[in-house]
Amino acid sequence: MKHRIVVLGAGYAGAYVAGTLARRLSPADTEITVVNAEPDFVQRLRLHQLAAGQEIEAPQLADVFAGTGIRLRLARVTAVDPERQVVAVADAEGGGELGYDTLLYALGSHAADRGVPGVAGYAFDVTSRPAALRLRERLDSLSRRDEDGRVLVVGDGLTGIETATEIAESRPGLSVALVARGELGAPLSAGARSHLRRACDRLGITVLEHISVEAVEATRVLCADGIALASDATVWTAGFAVSPMAATSGLEVTENGRIVVDRTMRSVSHPNIYAAGDSAYAIGDNGRPLPMSCASAGYTGMQATAAIVGRLTGRKVPNTKLEYLGNHISLGRRDGILQIVDNEAQAKAKYVGGRKAARIKAGILKMSLWTTSHPTFGLPKLKRHLAAVPDAAAERTVA
């Protein structure tokens, strides 16, 4: 009987792991199934562009996995049962269950409402393609009005900054404000913060600092100091959250529901389950938790792949890099910031800004799309057979 590998989610982490496993493991010994709710690959790093009115590529997953032998199941994951080793899914036909021997959990994250009333009912976000298109439709309607539309972006993390600057540049007829809980760009170096402020000034973005939002309503946002901010479209970018599914399934998770994994991305409570991307609580080489990001998806995906291949084929499991090198922030299409951090995850004084940073970010996006669309390119053609009897050495990791 073939070893059943099921990958939940086909984002940056899941698509990479599935494609790499298909190239490195013998199809005579394994069958790989990818479960994803949407039929196309979503460039989450560019959803703020989609919301602003631009077109972005969305390769069909059937085309991405063509010729790899991977089975694609378009369905929504509703439950994971680690004891029975099955995944429950729902689709147009009603759904069913998928059995697995090894599971890769890479279901990503969504906008975190942080318990603020009204976020779910009135705010927009850019954490999924449907959500970005919903915001885009709202911005279109505001652009058609005679009076200026007011867009309020809540949250000054990377997503908030990129969303505010993209909307302001793409839709100059709209009034855009960015709400920051503290100082704008606080994690950046002094020079990068100054660059960010100049970009906001150039784009006409109103920056509101040291403001805590207490509630979101249809036409305004209520703040802790009693101030009410008028808004025709409130965009919520104040952090991310993961599905509670891993917690309800009995896996060991953090307080916010991320799966606790060891150095090889294997669940510390269920050894035949691995996690990658935003779903995984992984400690980087600097001793700090990796942030939720595309870069972290890549690093955790590579480590999970190496561990799965190593253990299933009876080989030693290597430790791949788990790094956090910095942030690439787009400020519209022609400006950006590249901020490198030190080993303590603190911003270094030197940064790259302007068109050069924008080109670097564009190159990263292009590379990420290409590598995801060609999951088996450049990998060795030798497909390894599974070990008949698991080798104890395969459980050891390289220090």
Side-chain angles (χ1 to χ4, degrees), residues 42-338:
V42 176
Q43 293 192 72
R44 184 162 173 176
L45 288 175
R46 299 184 63 191
L47 287 178
H48 60 288
Q49 292 177 243
L50 180 65
Q54 301 164 33
E55 297 302 326
I56 64 174
E57 293 183 64
Q60 294 291 297
L61 290 173
D63 296 333
V64 170
F65 295 132
T68 64
I70 293 172
R71 301 178 180 182
L72 176 62
R73 179 71 181 270
L74 296 178
R76 181 173 55 88
V77 181
T78 59
V80 176
D81 187 338
E83 305 310 316
R84 295 172 53 225
Q85 294 188 191
V86 298
V87 175
V89 299
D91 56 21
E93 283 72 43
E97 290 186 336
L98 295 173
Y100 67 84
D101 299 300
T102 295
L103 181 71
L104 188 281
Y105 191 110
L107 290 177
S109 62
H110 57 268
D113 62 19
R114 300 193 179 280
V116 176
V119 171
Y122 299 111
F124 298 85
D125 67 76
V126 291
T127 59
S128 69
R129 185 176 177 85
L133 290 173
R134 176 171 167 263
L135 173 57
R136 177 173 177 162
E137 182 178 357
R138 178 59 175 163
L139 296 179
D140 286 342
S141 68
L142 294 179
S143 297
R144 290 192 294 265
R145 298 191 332 182
D146 292 334
E147 57 184 288
D148 290 341
R150 297 159 300 187
V151 179
L152 192 66
V153 180
V154 180
D156 65 325
L158 304 188
T159 302
I161 292 171
E162 293 193 328
T163 301
T165 53
E166 201 74 49
I167 293 174
E169 181 180 89
S170 299
R171 298 174 182 265
L174 299 179
S175 173
V176 180
L178 178 59
V179 176
R181 190 177 183 87
E183 179 187 2
L184 177 65
L188 303 175
S189 63
R193 288 198 301 272
S194 296
H195 186 100
L196 174 57
R197 288 187 179 277
R198 290 194 298 271
C200 289
D201 290 342
R202 172 175 56 82
L203 294 168
I205 298 172
T206 300
V207 177
L208 305 170
E209 297 175 293
H210 306 288
I211 292 180
S212 177
V213 173
E214 290 197 333
V216 176
E217 297 182 351
T219 59
R220 64 178 185 170
V221 167
L222 305 180
C223 305
D225 55 6
I227 295 177
L229 303 173
S231 174
D232 296 306
T234 300
V235 187
W236 191 262
T237 65
F240 303 105
V242 298
S243 165
M245 189 182 307
T248 58
S249 299
L251 277 67
E252 183 171 335
V253 299
T254 61
E255 184 177 341
N256 62 1
R258 300 173 74 187
I259 298 173
V260 181
V261 296
D262 64 15
R263 182 57 178 75
T264 67
M265 300 303 112
R266 185 166 64 170
S267 165
V268 297
S269 60
H270 294 78
N272 63 340
I273 297 179
Y274 295 77
D278 290 353
S279 302
Y281 180 77
I283 304 301
D285 294 339
N286 62 357
R288 299 172 181 273
L290 291 176
M292 293 184 180
S293 68
C294 174
S296 296
Y299 285 123
T300 56
M302 285 188 282
Q303 178 61 81
T305 302
I308 292 171
V309 172
R311 291 192 173 103
L312 292 185
T313 60
R315 289 170 170 78
K316 186 178 291 186
V317 176
N319 280 356
T320 63
K321 291 182 179 180
L322 295 177
E323 298 179 310
Y324 171 42
L325 301 176
N327 297 309
H328 302 84
I329 310 170
S330 64
L331 305 173
R333 295 299 84 214
R334 296 177 294 277
D335 194 3
I337 293 173
L338 169 56

Side-chain angles (χ1 to χ4, degrees), residues 331-384:
L331 305 173
R333 295 299 84 214
R334 296 177 294 277
D335 194 3
I337 293 173
L338 169 56
Q339 178 69 73
I340 305 300
V341 301
D342 60 23
N343 197 48
E344 299 300 317
Q346 299 299 309
K348 293 184 177 181
K350 188 175 181 180
Y351 78 98
V352 178
R355 289 182 179 272
K356 182 177 181 180
R359 288 195 294 269
I360 294 173
K361 179 63 180 287
I364 291 172
L365 294 174
K366 185 176 182 180
M367 179 182 67
S368 297
L369 176 62
W370 195 94
T371 54
T372 304
S373 301
H374 301 78
T376 61
F377 179 81
L379 296 177
K381 293 183 179 180
L382 176 62
K383 297 189 177 184
R384 302 187 183 280

